[in-house]
Amino acid sequence: MLRGFYFITDASLSKAGIISDVKEACRAGVCAVQYRNKYISTKLMIKEAMKLRKICRRELFVINDRIDVAQAVKADGMHLGQSDMPVSLARKILGKDKIIGLTIHSMAQAEEAVSCGVDYLGVAPVFTTNTKADAGRPVGLTLITKIRKKYKIPIVAIGGINLVNAQDVIRAGADSLCAISAVVGKSNIKAEISRFLKEINLGLAS
Amino acid sequence: MLRGFYFITDASLSKAGIISDVKEACRAGVCAVQYRNKYISTKLMIKEAMKLRKICRRELFVINDRIDVAQAVKADGMHLGQSDMPVSLARKILGKDKIIGLTIHSMAQAEEAVSCGVDYLGVAPVFTTNTKADAGRPVGLTLITKIRKKYKIPIVAIGGINLVNAQDVIRAGADSLCAISAVVGKSNIKAEISRFLKEINLGLAS
């Protein structure tokens, strides 16, 4: 399921708005959409996420950080970071049928995440990125390869990924990848994602 | 249950920290504690709220806005604002056993809140306040009296309340009141709340 391009919304980079961006992304054929919009009220988050829930029928639809919003809109699951709700608590609240993904920055965090029963790993930041101020030091392709050797868990790679390095990221062992600044804010999101999908497919085939 | 002083945490005004403030408030005999801390990570919110949950054994313990945090720490319920999750959705997620309070600014909002089955009303801002930037226009004592005439629902009054006007607020029909700037940030929170409790009791007795 998590194979291909994993789309994350970014209200600050978006030109046409999050709803339009996600429509474009779904038309391009992304495998997953993560709703992330930290700086608006809960009411507006739910309103926006409700619209996205209807748009993302085939795609995995997860909410960043906010389990309350995920429950309110019946999302497929959550994406958590290291400073969000602990995975064990999130699992208790959401139950075993919901998808929980966790961003990890080291092998130790990956091992802990797997032992906590997360459904997929976000490995970040692979390269240097300007999109997320608190992203931390790049982990490189080596961490992806190390995790892939040890676990079968789906890996989503994120951070500084572009059309030049996308194939390498997939070859290193990632199942899917996300690029924000290289996609959101461009005039044709669908076309940009299609370019990435070509690279991803070349990476998967090699 | 909601009769007396309703305490709301305020990290920006606090001198000794939220945990210490709540301990003082509970020693003073508040009826309820609302945890409100919007500008920290979910992980830290849960950590802080967990500590408060243990402190507030006799007091009603509710979480502002974040239903995920309320579920994570097993709070007694929620306090919602007009730009938080809609009450009907919150009720579905929390179930009928949890307390849901809603801040209202007009009779129309009060009527809607009662019809949605909220457990108590926060009437705000009663007077002009500097604590909450988005508090809106003062509703005055008249709104409290109007609601009290129509409904038996517990009323928590908030906004610009001090030792001079506290008795009037209770006499107008409020069951409890909250003062933030007049309490949090003072050197002796327990003593300040005790002074308010005296006024509240005089108001209830008259």
Side-chain angles (χ1 to χ4, degrees):
Chain A
M1 175 181 55
L2 272 177
R3 175 163 278 205
F5 193 95
Y6 180 109
F7 187 80
I8 303 179
T9 62
D10 193 312
S12 62
L13 288 176
S14 175
K15 280 180 179 166
I18 278 180
I19 307 296
S20 164
D21 291 356
V22 168
K23 279 182 187 166
E24 285 295 294
C26 290
R27 276 185 208 121
V30 300
C31 60
V33 171
Q34 181 191 128
Y35 174 63
R36 183 174 186 273
N37 198 1
K38 288 192 177 283
Y39 306 107
I40 58 172
S41 71
T42 301
K43 192 177 189 175
L44 290 178
M45 271 184 213
I46 291 172
K47 215 173 159 185
E48 218 164 38
M50 285 266 194
K51 287 182 189 164
L52 299 186
R53 166 69 296 184
K54 284 173 190 161
I55 296 165
C56 303
R57 293 173 192 275
R58 288 183 306 182
E59 304 75 13
L60 180 77
F61 179 57
V62 296
I63 309 286
N64 182 285
D65 181 17
R66 297 288 298 266
I67 291 187
D68 49 348
V69 177
Q71 289 179 292
V73 307
K74 297 192 165 75
D76 299 317
M78 292 298 306
H79 187 85
L80 299 171
Q82 295 289 327
S83 53
D84 297 338
M85 188 183 293
V87 170
S88 54
L89 266 177
R91 181 63 78 195
K92 266 187 205 161
I93 294 172
L94 290 171
K96 61 180 170 50
D97 295 337
K98 293 288 180 182
I99 297 291
I100 299 178
L102 180 72
T103 297
I104 58 94
H105 312 290
S106 67
M107 194 61 194
Q109 286 179 350
E111 285 162 356
E112 212 207 315
V114 171
S115 76
C116 285
V118 305
D119 298 293
Y120 73 89
L121 295 177
V123 179
V126 180
F127 306 112
T128 307
T129 172
N130 296 320
T131 308
K132 205 164 180 278
D134 59 345
R137 279 179 57 189
V139 297
L141 298 174
T142 47
L143 182 58
I144 296 175
T145 307
K146 249 176 111 177
I147 297 169
R148 177 52 64 237
K149 273 189 185 157
K150 193 162 177 183
Y151 301 111
K152 286 198 170 179
I153 192 165
I155 294 171
V156 181
I158 180 167
I161 297 171
N162 53 41
L163 287 166
V164 177
N165 61 32
Q167 269 196 53
D168 293 339
V169 169
I170 298 297
R171 270 194 215 106
D175 302 276
S176 60
L177 56 81
C178 174
I180 299 180
S181 61
V183 167
V184 184
K186 294 290 170 91
S187 53
N188 192 335
I189 289 179
K190 181 170 171 280
E192 294 299 332
I193 293 174
S194 297
R195 283 189 195 101
F196 272 99
L197 284 173
K198 268 184 201 163
E199 296 301 319
I200 291 166
N201 288 331
L202 286 168
L204 287 169
S206 63
Chain B
M1 175 179 59
L2 272 178
R3 176 162 277 207
F5 193 96
Y6 180 109
F7 187 81
I8 304 179
T9 61
D10 192 313
S12 61
L13 289 176
S14 175
K15 279 179 180 166
I18 278 180
I19 307 297
S20 164
D21 292 355
V22 170
K23 280 182 187 167
E24 286 295 295
C26 290
R27 276 186 208 121
V30 299
C31 61
V33 170
Q34 180 191 131
Y35 174 64
R36 183 174 186 270
N37 197 0
K38 288 192 176 287
Y39 306 107
I40 58 172
S41 71
T42 302
K43 191 178 190 173
L44 290 178
M45 272 184 214
I46 291 172
K47 216 174 159 184
E48 217 163 37
M50 285 266 195
K51 287 182 189 165
L52 300 186
R53 167 70 294 186
K54 285 174 190 162
I55 295 165
C56 303
R57 294 174 192 274
R58 289 182 305 182
E59 304 76 15
L60 179 77
F61 179 57
V62 296
I63 308 285
N64 182 285
D65 180 19
R66 298 288 299 265
I67 292 188
D68 50 346
V69 177
Q71 290 178 291
V73 307
K74 296 190 166 73
D76 299 316
M78 289 298 305
H79 187 84
L80 300 172
Q82 294 290 327
S83 52
D84 297 337
M85 188 184 293
V87 171
S88 54
L89 265 177
R91 181 64 77 196
K92 264 187 205 160
I93 294 172
L94 289 172
K96 62 179 168 53
D97 294 338
K98 294 288 180 182
I99 298 291
I100 298 179
L102 180 71
T103 297
I104 59 93
H105 313 290
S106 67
M107 194 62 194
Q109 286 180 349
E111 284 161 356
E112 211 206 317
V114 171
S115 76
C116 285
V118 305
D119 298 293
Y120 73 90
L121 296 177
V123 179
V126 181
F127 307 111
T128 307
T129 173
N130 296 318
T131 309
K132 205 162 179 280
D134 60 346
R137 278 179 57 189
V139 296
L141 296 175
T142 47
L143 182 58
I144 296 175
T145 308
K146 248 175 112 177
I147 297 169
R148 176 54 63 236
K149 274 189 184 155
K150 193 163 178 183
Y151 302 113
K152 288 200 170 177
I153 192 165
I155 294 172
V156 181
I158 180 166
I161 297 171
N162 53 40
L163 287 167
V164 176
N165 60 31
Q167 270 196 51
D168 294 339
V169 169
I170 298 298
R171 270 194 216 104
D175 303 276
S176 62
L177 57 79
C178 173
I180 299 180
S181 60
V183 166
V184 183
K186 294 291 169 89
S187 53
N188 192 336
I189 289 179
K190 181 170 171 281
E192 294 299 331
I193 293 174
S194 297
R195 282 189 195 102
F196 272 98
L197 285 173
K198 269 183 201 164
E199 297 300 320
I200 292 167
N201 288 332
L202 287 168
L204 287 169
S206 63

